[in-house]
Amino acid sequence: MTASERRMALLEVLCLRRHETRENLAFEFGVSKRTIEYDVQILSVNYPIFSVQGKGGGIYIMEGFNLHKRYLTNKQSAVLQELAVVLPEEDKQVVLSILKDFSKRKELCY
């Protein structure tokens, strides 16, 4: 398994489990804890992954993030927000629910 393949597998594991310890990940992938830390550092540039020290710590992926979920672009979200203002109430609620489900959360914007 290449480093790139391992990182994608690590990302998929975190999306499924939402939280894991570096020790467990190191064991699972057959690498050192330092390698896992390095992989997390690299992945955190493009994905909402972070680590927490101490009791209850470990490696987390932001709640609500899904690797295969598609998000609206900022421009698409802006256009839908503008349109929602002039729509009848029922249609407005549908557009707002689309925005809620598919707009990037502010925490996910880099």
Side-chain angles (χ1 to χ4, degrees):
M1 174 181 286
T2 67
S4 174
E5 291 169 334
R6 182 183 63 247
R7 289 179 190 128
M8 288 312 296
L10 173 62
L11 187 58
E12 289 176 3
V13 164
L14 288 172
C15 283
L16 287 173
R17 299 179 193 160
R18 311 312 296 176
H19 165 255
E20 192 53 82
T21 65
R22 66 184 178 144
E23 290 82 4
N24 286 347
L25 292 169
F27 177 79
E28 187 171 337
F29 288 101
V31 296
S32 69
K33 292 185 284 186
R34 180 64 194 124
T35 298
I36 294 297
E37 290 171 7
Y38 184 68
D39 288 347
V40 167
Q41 184 180 18
I42 289 172
L43 287 168
S44 68
V45 171
N46 294 309
Y47 299 98
I49 296 174
F50 58 97
S51 56
V52 176
Q53 301 275 332
K55 184 174 172 134
I59 300 166
Y60 292 82
I61 193 157
M62 185 174 289
E63 195 61 42
F65 176 80
N66 185 330
L67 182 59
H68 302 293
K69 183 175 181 179
R70 298 202 37 143
Y71 295 96
L72 295 170
T73 65
N74 291 339
K75 179 71 172 171
Q76 290 169 330
S77 293
V79 168
L80 288 174
Q81 287 172 348
E82 289 176 24
L83 290 173
V85 174
V86 298
L87 291 174
E89 189 58 32
E90 187 176 331
D91 294 339
K92 179 180 181 177
Q93 293 307 314
V94 171
V95 169
L96 292 176
S97 73
I98 291 169
L99 285 166
K100 181 181 177 209
D101 290 344
F102 294 101
S103 290
K104 292 181 184 177
R105 294 183 181 166
K106 289 195 188 298
E107 308 92 78
L108 297 181
C109 297
Y110 300 103

